[in-house]
């Protein structure tokens, strides 16, 4: 298959669309990103990469980081993790408080904010403190992307900390139900640090490979998680990776993927490749508008879908 041609066609088709979406402005440090940008990359199992557009530009990975923290938590706690977090779609916006109240502080899944905050808490407990937990999260992402330079933007993390009232509320609500072990401020700070990690589409498409290959990095053979755990993570990405638009993403694209409000979407094509697309303008559900369209075009042009 001529992947370069397909990516070039997709970039051209999305560039013709007049509505590019709206950048996330509830995090002030992200409000000034140029919505015209678009990049897309895919990485095959032998390491070959194909890219188009702004694929070297670093962007805030935001909720895509939740795939990697969920991976670590599942690795260390196995199915015990599900005592504190569910694995059902929420059908609600990513930062909703309502469901958490009537479900007694147990978040629906690890990809809504409450669930990801809970996962971060579990990792702080596992590693003993928040500094070590952050270091280990960063190191894991450096390992899977094979990119030692991966780091977080202090400006974005601080901006989130200064405006993260809802996340604080979610954490305090869980704490009131005894479903968080550590200090709320510490947990939220650690959560914002991993959301503020900056990567480009090349790095992220590479980083998804272990999920496309049963938990094992197909390039260097590193075993990250079990085959069953990889299967579960892909299942939760498919059903919960795009919040209340998860059904729509499965309907149109048909691949496990995770979005972030920075405009990135990272996708797994089982047994074939990792993909990442980035365009900062979002749709009403907080997922990249052009990114979602580009992935639908990719699935249609290549016939790649799990269905
Ligand atoms: O907690 C937040 O609001 C952000 N750090 C992450 C949100 C996010 O990326 C949701 N994604 N679509």
């Amino acid at each position: 298959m001529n992947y370069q041609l397909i990516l070039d066609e997709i970039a051209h088709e999305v560039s013709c669309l007049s509505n590019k979406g709206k950048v996330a402005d509830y995090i002030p440090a992200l409000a000034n990103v140029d919505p015209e940008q678009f990049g897309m990359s895919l990485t095959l199992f032998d390491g070959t990469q194909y890219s188009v557009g702004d694929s070297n530009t670093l962007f805030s990975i935001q909720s895509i980081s939740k795939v990697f923290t969920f991976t670590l938590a599942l690795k260390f706690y196995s199915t015990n993790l599900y005592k504190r977090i569910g694995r059902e779609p929420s059908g609600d916006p990513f930062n909703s408080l309502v469901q958490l109240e009537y479900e007694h502080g147990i978040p629906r899944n690890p990809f809504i904010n409450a669930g990801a905050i809970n996962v971060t808490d579990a990792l702080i407990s596992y590693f003993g403190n928040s500094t070590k937990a952050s270091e280990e999260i960063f190191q894991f992402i450096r390992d899977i992307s094979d990119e030692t330079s991966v780091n977080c933007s202090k400006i974005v993390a601080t901006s989130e900390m200064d405006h993260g009232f809802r996340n604080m509320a979610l954490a305090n609500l869980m704490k009131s139900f005894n479903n968080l072990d550590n200090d709320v401020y510490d947990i939220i700070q650690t959560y914002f640090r991993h959301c503020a990690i900056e990567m480009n589409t090349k790095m992220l498409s590479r980083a998804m490979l272990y999920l496309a290959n049963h938990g094992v990095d197909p390039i260097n053979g590193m075993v990250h998680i079990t085959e069953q755990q990889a299967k579960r993570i892909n299942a939760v990405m498919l059903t919960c990776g795009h919040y209340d638009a998860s059904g729509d993403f499965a309907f149109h694209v048909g691949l496990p993927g995770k979005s972030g409000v920075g405009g990135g979407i990272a996708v797994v094509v089982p047994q074939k490749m990792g993909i990442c697309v980035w365009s900062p303008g979002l749709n009403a559900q907080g997922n990249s508008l052009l990114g979602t369209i580009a992935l639908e075009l990719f699935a249609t042009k290549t016939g790649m879908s799990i269905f």
Side-chain angles (χ1 to χ4, degrees):
M1 207 168 305
N2 190 338
Y3 289 121
Q4 192 59 56
L5 183 70
I6 291 169
L7 291 182
D8 291 344
E9 279 176 13
I10 293 170
H12 174 69
E13 287 174 49
V14 299
S15 73
C16 299
L17 300 171
S18 52
N19 180 7
K20 307 262 196 277
K22 196 176 164 300
V23 298
D25 55 7
Y26 78 99
I27 302 171
L30 295 183
N32 297 325
V33 179
D34 174 10
E36 294 291 325
Q37 298 175 96
F38 174 87
M40 187 166 180
S41 300
L42 55 90
T43 307
L44 306 182
F45 279 20
D46 65 359
T48 313
Q49 281 194 327
Y50 298 90
S51 292
V52 70
D54 301 307
S55 58
N56 287 313
T57 307
L58 296 175
F59 62 90
S60 194
I61 73 169
Q62 290 295 321
S63 289
I64 298 173
S65 64
K66 297 172 183 175
V67 176
F68 309 135
T69 51
F70 179 40
T71 298
L72 288 176
L74 206 52
K75 176 177 174 149
F76 300 132
Y77 288 93
S78 187
T79 50
N80 283 327
L81 188 67
Y82 299 120
K83 291 180 183 154
R84 49 191 296 169
I85 306 163
R87 46 183 190 249
E88 283 290 339
S90 70
D92 275 334
F94 61 84
N95 55 6
S96 172
L97 281 148
V98 182
Q99 204 168 44
L100 193 60
E101 163 76 11
Y102 64 73
E103 295 189 351
H104 313 291
I106 310 277
R108 271 289 172 104
N109 66 66
F111 294 155
I112 51 171
N113 284 11
I117 291 166
N118 200 295
V119 164
T120 304
D121 177 54
L123 291 177
I124 294 174
S125 296
Y126 183 83
F127 289 114
N129 62 61
S130 54
T131 310
K132 180 93 172 93
S134 285
E135 276 167 16
E136 293 289 339
I137 294 166
F138 283 39
Q139 189 52 49
F140 176 64
I141 298 176
R142 288 176 191 135
D143 286 346
I144 57 174
S145 59
D146 196 22
E147 189 59 66
T148 51
S149 67
V150 170
N151 224 322
C152 84
S153 156
K154 290 197 174 54
I155 295 171
V156 174
T158 306
S159 180
E160 289 215 62
M161 206 64 205
D162 291 344
H163 296 85
F165 307 113
R166 258 183 181 268
N167 286 320
M168 276 291 186
L170 289 166
N172 277 304
L173 195 52
M174 284 188 282
K175 189 84 175 171
S176 77
F177 284 106
N178 291 319
N179 197 23
L180 286 183
D181 300 324
N182 296 286
D183 175 66
V184 163
Y185 185 88
D186 235 23
I187 301 165
I188 291 295
Q189 198 165 39
T190 310
Y191 166 76
F192 284 146
R193 289 195 73 210
H194 69 67
C195 287
I197 287 173
E198 295 189 315
M199 296 171 79
N200 61 33
T201 58
K202 288 181 178 168
M203 297 173 189
L204 268 170
S205 67
R206 163 72 177 87
M208 298 307 275
L209 286 181
Y210 75 100
L211 290 170
N213 190 41
H214 305 308
V216 181
D217 188 313
I219 299 176
N220 60 24
M222 267 175 98
V223 180
H224 294 297
I225 43 171
T226 66
E227 179 172 348
Q228 196 186 49
Q229 287 167 340
K231 182 173 82 174
R232 304 294 192 224
I233 295 166
N234 284 327
V236 181
M237 279 203 290
L238 185 77
T239 53
C240 311
H242 287 74
Y243 314 107
D244 46 341
S246 297
D248 216 42
F249 189 81
F251 182 86
H252 287 288
V253 180
L255 290 165
K258 181 76 202 80
S259 69
V261 291
I265 306 177
V267 169
V268 170
V269 184
Q271 287 311 299
K272 285 199 169 62
M273 66 179 79
I275 306 177
C276 181
V277 61
W278 170 62
S279 183
L282 308 179
N283 62 22
Q285 287 88 17
N287 300 310
S288 172
L289 181 74
L290 295 191
T292 308
I293 294 169
L295 288 165
E296 181 174 5
L297 286 169
F298 182 84
T300 305
K301 287 174 190 288
T302 61
M304 284 182 198
S305 149
I306 61 166
F307 300 110

